[in-house]
Amino acid sequence: FVLVDNRLMQVITYHCLAIGFAAMSLKTEKSAHKTSKAQVLEFGALQGATYMLQAFVGLGITLVLFLLTRHGDKIISYVCGLILPLAFGQGPGNALSWDINFTNTPAAQFAGNGSFGLSLASIGFVVASVFGVLYINIHKKRGDLRVRKGTPVDQTLSMSEESELPDSESVDKFSLQVGFVAIAYALSFGFMVLLGKLSAFTNSIAWGFNFLWASLAAMLIKLIVGRLRRHKVMHRKYINNYQMDRISGFAFDLMIVAGVAAIEINDIKNYILPIVILSLVGTIITFVYIRKVSKECFKGFEHEFFLMSFGTLTGTASNGMILMKEVDPALRTPTSSLYILSNFPAMVMIAPLLFLLGFAGQSLTNAIIACAIFFVLWLVYSIFLFRR
């Protein structure tokens, strides 16, 4: 039998997304800077607005392409543009998941077989890296961007705390971290199986959001562990932030590599035009919009904020953090703290997109309605950001 093939790479990509999110959600990070609630909400609103903008523009492009090709031999699916915010904003795992969902929905008239979404996600990763580095070099030459001096933050200094389980115990500390992540994903997987058996609608929601259920399960575990410690039932701190970072980092790196390896060229040869258009337009609108918000709402650290946001919303959180640390190695600006604290408001603001994905793929009319909703939401979030 074939040991390694595209299917195996897709499976690795799918599960690594949830594993990475579970490990991230188990961390108990606290803000290292004083941040205002307004800025936390604005960071969340920026993420929500960028997703809605990418969804509105991406879906609008493929709706037009569908109407132009609907009577020809090579019909371009009206809904495949909706994969743009998933590929750029959330990476290969979710892009793959919804590509396959749309492929298995006859009304969507789509045959990406996972490769379409993975191609867009791979391009997004390149966009984040290349354009981020170009931005840094251009603004350094202009003289309006200087690297903030300071000793780079060394995470190894906070590898363990006094109350944590010592390395000399019979159970390896890293094994415990893997165990917590495994329990979180096992709970989320059981929940997905349960949802999948209820109805066709809940089935489509269940498997497309494995990262969301894994995050929620991890938060539940973290809440229980916190309660047990407060009531003195548990005396040690068993969750180690440094090692959770290593698990999530490894899972996301593996996800990216497996995602690129899973691309089947024959599946995307009929979609070269929409991939090129979506990539170009998606890059431009994301760059321009985030740059505008950075200048207006985050004065004083607009470059750091732009690099963090652009890297995250075209590639992955790792891209954003690496780019930001190139100009702020000592984390002197509150950018990283704002990112940590804005995760929950961002999730709330992105939720409408996630729950409209299945609806949009059911018919052309539904896609047009969803496109209009995304535009209205983008407008609402933008008004909140530029309300001053």
Side-chain angles (χ1 to χ4, degrees):
F1 60 92
V2 178
L3 182 61
V4 178
D5 58 6
N6 284 22
R7 177 62 179 163
L8 176 63
M9 293 297 104
Q10 289 183 356
V11 169
I12 291 172
T13 303
Y14 178 80
H15 292 296
C16 279
L17 174 70
I19 291 169
F21 269 88
M24 281 178 59
S25 301
L26 281 165
K27 288 171 59 182
T28 53
E29 280 192 296
K30 293 182 180 179
S31 172
H33 298 270
K34 288 184 179 180
T35 54
S36 67
K37 290 182 179 178
Q39 284 189 322
V40 171
L41 288 175
E42 285 171 348
F43 202 160
L46 168 67
Q47 292 181 65
T50 307
Y51 271 87
M52 297 306 159
L53 178 61
Q54 290 173 343
F56 161 66
V57 172
L59 191 53
I61 288 170
T62 49
L63 280 169
V64 172
L65 291 175
F66 172 76
L67 294 174
L68 293 174
T69 61
R70 65 189 304 181
H71 300 299
D73 296 330
K74 296 180 180 178
I75 299 174
I76 294 175
S77 170
Y78 59 84
V79 79
C80 63
L82 202 48
I83 297 174
L84 175 65
L86 305 177
F88 271 31
Q90 295 188 335
N94 219 17
L96 166 69
S97 178
W98 278 97
D99 183 321
I100 292 175
N101 272 353
F102 289 143
T103 299
N104 293 332
T105 304
Q109 302 181 52
F110 183 57
N113 295 313
S115 294
F116 181 91
L118 292 174
S119 299
L120 274 179
S122 300
I123 292 170
F125 182 76
V126 173
V127 164
S129 305
V130 173
F131 279 79
V133 171
L134 285 174
Y135 179 92
I136 293 171
N137 290 333
I138 289 171
H139 283 274
K140 275 184 178 178
K141 287 181 179 178
R142 287 180 180 176
D144 59 351
L145 172 59
R146 294 181 181 179
V147 177
R148 295 180 186 268
K149 295 181 180 179
T151 305
V153 175
D154 186 359
Q155 284 186 304
T156 59
L157 297 176
S158 58
M159 283 175 64
S160 61
E161 299 175 16
E162 268 186 45
S163 59
E164 285 191 1
L165 191 73
D167 290 322
S168 58
E169 289 288 329
S170 56
V171 179
D172 183 70
K173 189 190 290 187
F174 184 73
S175 298
L176 283 174
Q177 314 310 309
V178 173
F180 277 118
V181 175
I183 292 169
Y185 197 29
L187 289 173
S188 64
F189 202 86
F191 181 69
M192 289 189 287
V193 171
L194 178 62
L195 275 183
K197 290 183 179 298
L198 294 178
S199 68
F201 173 72
T202 55
N203 183 60
S204 66
I205 291 177
W207 302 105
F209 300 128
N210 67 335
F211 71 97
L212 178 59
W213 313 131
S215 295
L216 293 175
M219 290 176 189
L220 176 63
I221 291 171
K222 188 166 66 175
L223 178 65
I224 293 171
V225 170
R227 289 285 178 89
L228 290 173
R229 288 203 70 205
R230 279 196 295 272
H231 288 88
K232 307 299 181 182
V233 176
M234 190 179 283
H235 301 285
R236 295 282 192 181
K237 185 178 179 183
Y238 289 98
I239 297 175
N240 181 278
N241 287 344
Y242 175 78
Q243 292 185 344
M244 285 299 176
D245 262 337
R246 303 284 64 76
I247 293 172
S248 62
F250 174 75
F252 289 142
D253 288 343
L254 183 58
M255 178 185 72
I256 292 166
V257 174
V260 175
I263 297 171
E264 177 58 60
I265 300 300
N266 289 329
D267 289 334
I268 62 170
K269 61 184 180 182
N270 293 330
Y271 292 98
I272 297 298
L273 179 62
I275 287 174
V276 170
I277 295 175
L278 288 170
S279 300
L280 286 174
V281 177
T283 300
I284 293 168
I285 61 169
T286 303
F287 185 95
V288 172
Y289 187 72
I290 296 176
R291 183 76 182 110
K292 179 68 175 175
V293 174
S294 301
K295 290 173 70 175
E296 291 292 327
C297 303
F298 298 91
K299 294 175 182 177
F301 56 100
E302 63 180 73
H303 295 298
E304 292 83 357
F305 181 84
F306 170 82
L307 290 167
M308 180 74 194
S309 302
F310 182 75
T312 302
L313 291 167
T314 52
T316 63
S318 299
N319 286 106
M321 189 62 73
I322 289 168
L323 289 171
M324 189 268 293
K325 283 185 175 180
E326 281 295 310
V327 297
D328 185 16
L331 302 183
R332 291 184 174 276
T333 66
T335 309
S336 59
S337 297
L338 285 172
Y339 177 73
I340 293 165
L341 297 172
S342 68
N343 281 335
F344 181 74
M347 192 179 292
V348 172
M349 293 182 187
I350 294 166
L353 165 65
L354 301 178
F355 288 105
L356 281 171
L357 289 169
F359 171 79
Q362 296 300 320
S363 69
L364 177 61
T365 303
N366 286 8
I368 294 171
I369 293 171
C371 191
I373 293 172
F374 296 143
F375 175 74
V376 171
L377 288 171
W378 170 72
L379 204 58
V380 170
Y381 295 159
S382 296
I383 290 172
F384 171 75
L385 286 167
F386 297 106
R387 65 192 182 281
R388 300 167 189 173

